[in-house]
Amino acid sequence: MELIRYRDIDTRQIAEAAWKEGIIQCREIYKDAPDWVVDEMIKMLGDDAADSRTAGYLLLCLAQAGGGKVFRAFLDLERHPRKWREKLYVGPAVYAAYGGWSFDSDGKFLETNFGKCYPMVKGTEEEKRKSPVKIGVGTAEKCPHCGGRIMNRFAFWIQDCEIRSCPGCGKPMKYLAQIQWDTVMDAMEGNAYIEICRECKIMAVLHQQT
């Protein structure tokens, strides 16, 4: 469960503290991970004897950290799989998408998120009633860990991060938005994930549910 949301803050010290305590289950806190933490993660992934579950978490944390060093490490791990890779369902290129980037078979860097985001503004009551999209709205669910009220937000992958390849050019499509089906049609479950290829002008809508 993703419990941490932040904007425009430096999480360097949080990443350092988390790493020293062995906390790797929450990838978001490693966005600003210092170089020495990134280096240690990459070193651990280079060991064939690394635990596959731990390796999966490290890939997610590194994907969030990003940067040239991480990109080169992921490319190497994709082309020269270590022993722990045998127990993972997907390769490093798929894990990278959780950080908003990936790479193709030729090793070319690709972005899977848009670099520019649009701010949320408070609408009128009439606009709220008509809009099928609801962001930051409290739900009836509560977090089993802290008891806090869960909010609707972008992007929450019910299953796994799923970035599709464009049927036109073959490049990864970019994640655009998410809509809960029950805000559009009654008695519907799950979420619709909208992805787009601006070059080919093709859009895809994916479905996930528990």
Side-chain angles (χ1 to χ4, degrees):
M1 180 170 293
E2 301 176 23
L3 300 178
I4 296 181
R5 290 290 162 192
Y6 53 79
R7 182 180 67 184
D8 298 332
I9 65 171
D10 185 350
T11 60
R12 183 178 302 270
Q13 292 183 339
I14 299 176
E16 289 182 348
W19 179 250
K20 289 177 181 178
E21 293 296 321
I23 301 171
I24 57 174
Q25 294 83 0
C26 191
R27 67 181 185 274
E28 290 85 356
I29 58 180
Y30 288 98
K31 180 178 74 71
D32 299 312
D35 287 342
W36 72 267
V37 172
V38 170
D39 289 341
E40 288 194 10
M41 288 184 179
I42 293 175
K43 183 179 179 180
M44 289 179 65
L45 288 174
D47 185 358
D48 277 325
D51 174 71
S52 59
R53 184 179 179 85
T54 299
Y57 282 130
L58 291 175
L59 287 170
L60 290 174
C61 293
L62 284 170
Q64 192 71 56
K69 186 183 298 183
V70 173
F71 169 59
R72 290 188 293 273
F74 271 48
L75 195 58
D76 176 65
L77 292 170
E78 185 79 37
R79 293 174 172 174
H80 307 97
R82 305 307 192 264
K83 191 70 176 177
W84 46 260
R85 170 68 179 83
E86 296 176 359
K87 295 184 179 180
L88 297 181
Y89 294 107
V90 295
V94 177
Y95 280 88
Y98 281 86
W101 59 278
S102 188
F103 48 90
D104 60 20
S105 57
D106 295 324
K108 181 181 178 182
F109 180 87
L110 302 169
E111 291 184 340
T112 57
N113 278 356
F114 285 100
K116 183 177 182 180
C117 296
Y118 294 93
M120 293 183 290
V121 294
K122 188 174 182 179
T124 64
E125 291 300 321
E126 180 65 21
E127 289 173 331
K128 290 179 183 179
R129 282 193 293 270
K130 291 181 178 179
S131 175
V133 181
K134 299 184 185 302
I135 307 171
V137 177
T139 70
E141 298 180 77
K142 289 190 176 181
C143 172
H145 301 284
C146 68
R149 194 178 179 193
I150 294 179
M151 309 291 284
N152 291 335
R153 51 183 169 72
F154 291 4
F156 173 70
W157 296 99
I158 296 176
Q159 297 167 10
D160 294 321
C161 176
E162 189 176 359
I163 302 297
R164 291 295 180 90
S165 296
C166 173
C169 64
K171 297 178 182 178
M173 303 182 83
K174 288 191 176 183
Y175 169 81
L176 181 64
Q178 166 189 314
I179 300 176
Q180 287 183 250
W181 280 121
D182 61 4
T183 64
V184 182
M185 293 176 281
D186 293 334
M188 287 289 290
E189 295 182 1
N191 292 339
Y193 302 89
I194 304 171
E195 296 174 4
I196 187 172
C197 176
R198 297 182 66 179
E199 294 180 14
C200 300
K201 296 180 173 58
I202 293 176
M203 182 176 289
V205 179
L206 314 177
H207 170 79
Q208 288 187 6
Q209 70 180 70
T210 54

